[in-house]
Amino acid sequence: MDYLLQVKIGALVGLLLLTVFFGFIPARMKWFRETSGTETHRVVLSFISCFAGGVFLAACLLDIIPDYLSDINAELDARRVDTSFPLPEFIMAAGFFTVLIVERIALNCRQDAMQGLDQERAPLMQANEHSHGHSHGHGQGKASSTNLEGSAHHVHMDLQAHSSFRSFMLFFSLSLHSVFEGLAIGLQTTDSKVLEICIAIVVHKSIIVFSLSVKLVQSAVPPMWVAAYVGVFAMMSPLGIGVGIGVIEAQLAAGALIQAILEGLAAGTFIYITFMEILPHELNSPENQLLKVFFILLGFSVMAGLTFLS
């Protein structure tokens, strides 16, 4: 086994262990899983979530999208594809709309199921009150109250569905990107470049997996599933390194265009999650707005600094 291959295998093992370690901190600590903590606990957790939002925003704008645009443009140039249509951006939009459509379908199915379940459980007298509410003021008030309670229940369930689904899509897009990060290590031909990229990815991915784990815990994902998510996510970069090593050893050059297209779909997915879930979730609440913006900027700045240094 030559030295370069040893360095790549060492990078594979190191990435796996460090990602698992940082991912399990929020998953295993009871403090992060508390849902009925003090006001201070909720505020601090909100600030951590804002910091994570800044991390994901920087990962989206400074890491995932630039990497994808560089790869897809290189592939299009290599194949002499010359068109005025913004094909790279269209691929990202396809990823964005794929998540949007799948999420809407999932939420509509869930809402229909919940409505059917509520109708099966509704008492007969309650139905009569609803049907005669227009002729009796008191009955109308009671029916309205019942409607409000029912709608509040539906809103709560929809929010939970939103959170769980989007958390999964966040995990999926980050995992796919991690495969490509690992692939970049596996395809290197010098040991110095392998170490340089590996150190940058270790620091970057440690912050990312910590932020991902916080989001999963906040989304009320069961602890066993959080552990499974973190475990699978931890294996993505090593998987990419293994694929890259295999490609180098087998002298294969095909598949680069497919990789770039998958990167574009993952980038579109990440854009959706960042701007439709993570940032609105924190900024829509009126408390501590300026401090929340500060922590978002702090998370963004940390990732921007790491990107600049690497």
Side-chain angles (χ1 to χ4, degrees), residues 142-168:
K142 193 169 182 180
S144 300
S145 174
T146 307
N147 279 333
L148 283 173
E149 288 171 6
S151 64
H153 177 68
H154 283 262
V155 168
H156 172 72
M157 293 307 296
D158 282 354
L159 285 174
Q160 289 299 322
H162 265 284
S163 187
S164 298
F165 179 80
R166 288 177 174 175
S167 293
F168 172 76

Side-chain angles (χ1 to χ4, degrees), residues 114-281:
M114 289 303 301
Q115 284 175 345
L117 190 62
D118 285 349
Q119 288 172 1
E120 288 177 6
R121 291 176 176 174
L124 184 60
M125 289 300 294
Q126 190 180 59
N128 289 337
E129 285 169 4
H130 275 272
S131 61
H132 296 294
H134 65 277
S135 58
H136 299 287
H138 179 70
Q140 186 178 9
K142 193 169 182 180
S144 300
S145 174
T146 307
N147 279 333
L148 283 173
E149 288 171 6
S151 64
H153 177 68
H154 283 262
V155 168
H156 172 72
M157 293 307 296
D158 282 354
L159 285 174
Q160 289 299 322
H162 265 284
S163 187
S164 298
F165 179 80
R166 288 177 174 175
S167 293
F168 172 76
M169 294 310 300
L170 175 64
F171 156 78
F172 178 77
S173 59
L174 280 171
S175 296
L176 194 56
H177 181 65
S178 293
V179 173
F180 299 132
E181 284 182 332
L183 197 59
I185 294 177
L187 292 174
Q188 296 306 313
T189 54
T190 61
D191 53 359
S192 60
K193 193 66 177 173
V194 169
L195 289 173
E196 178 186 329
I197 296 175
C198 184
I199 291 170
I201 289 178
V202 163
V203 178
H204 165 266
K205 197 172 180 184
S206 297
I207 298 174
I208 286 284
V209 73
F210 181 88
S211 303
L212 173 64
S213 186
V214 169
K215 282 294 171 188
L216 291 171
V217 170
Q218 287 184 333
S219 299
V221 176
M224 289 298 295
W225 279 103
V226 175
Y229 279 151
V230 171
V232 172
F233 180 71
M235 290 188 289
M236 291 298 104
S237 287
L239 175 64
I241 294 174
V243 171
I245 292 173
V247 169
I248 290 291
E249 295 296 318
Q251 301 294 315
L252 295 176
L257 181 61
I258 295 175
Q259 174 195 329
I261 292 172
L262 288 175
E263 279 186 283
L265 295 174
T269 300
F270 204 81
I271 290 170
Y272 183 91
I273 300 302
T274 302
F275 291 100
M276 301 292 282
E277 158 68 3
I278 296 171
L279 296 179
H281 177 73

Side-chain angles (χ1 to χ4, degrees), residues 2-159:
D2 62 3
Y3 180 68
L4 177 61
L5 188 56
Q6 291 178 3
V7 171
K8 289 180 180 179
I9 292 175
L12 186 154
V13 175
L15 266 174
L16 178 63
L17 295 178
L18 284 172
T19 304
V20 168
F21 174 75
F22 283 100
F24 277 169
I25 292 175
R28 301 302 301 172
M29 285 182 64
K30 185 180 178 181
W31 189 89
F32 285 96
R33 301 197 306 270
E34 282 284 341
T35 56
S36 57
T38 63
E39 181 64 26
T40 302
H41 172 269
R42 286 192 290 271
V43 169
V44 171
L45 207 55
S46 177
F47 289 157
I48 293 174
S49 182
C50 288
F51 179 86
V55 168
F56 289 130
L57 181 62
C60 180
L61 297 179
L62 304 181
D63 184 12
I64 293 177
I65 293 178
D67 283 356
Y68 157 65
L69 291 176
S70 174
D71 290 346
I72 191 69
N73 285 325
E75 286 304 311
L76 292 177
D77 290 343
R79 287 164 173 74
R80 297 179 181 177
V81 177
D82 187 16
T83 175
S84 59
F85 184 76
L87 186 59
E89 289 78 8
F90 179 81
I91 293 171
M92 282 195 293
F96 181 95
F97 282 112
T98 298
V99 182
L100 176 63
I101 292 168
V102 172
E103 183 187 61
R104 291 299 106 186
I105 293 172
L107 288 176
N108 283 338
C109 291
R110 172 129 187 177
Q111 188 175 22
D112 290 343
M114 289 303 301
Q115 284 175 345
L117 190 62
D118 285 349
Q119 288 172 1
E120 288 177 6
R121 291 176 176 174
L124 184 60
M125 289 300 294
Q126 190 180 59
N128 289 337
E129 285 169 4
H130 275 272
S131 61
H132 296 294
H134 65 277
S135 58
H136 299 287
H138 179 70
Q140 186 178 9
K142 193 169 182 180
S144 300
S145 174
T146 307
N147 279 333
L148 283 173
E149 288 171 6
S151 64
H153 177 68
H154 283 262
V155 168
H156 172 72
M157 293 307 296
D158 282 354
L159 285 174

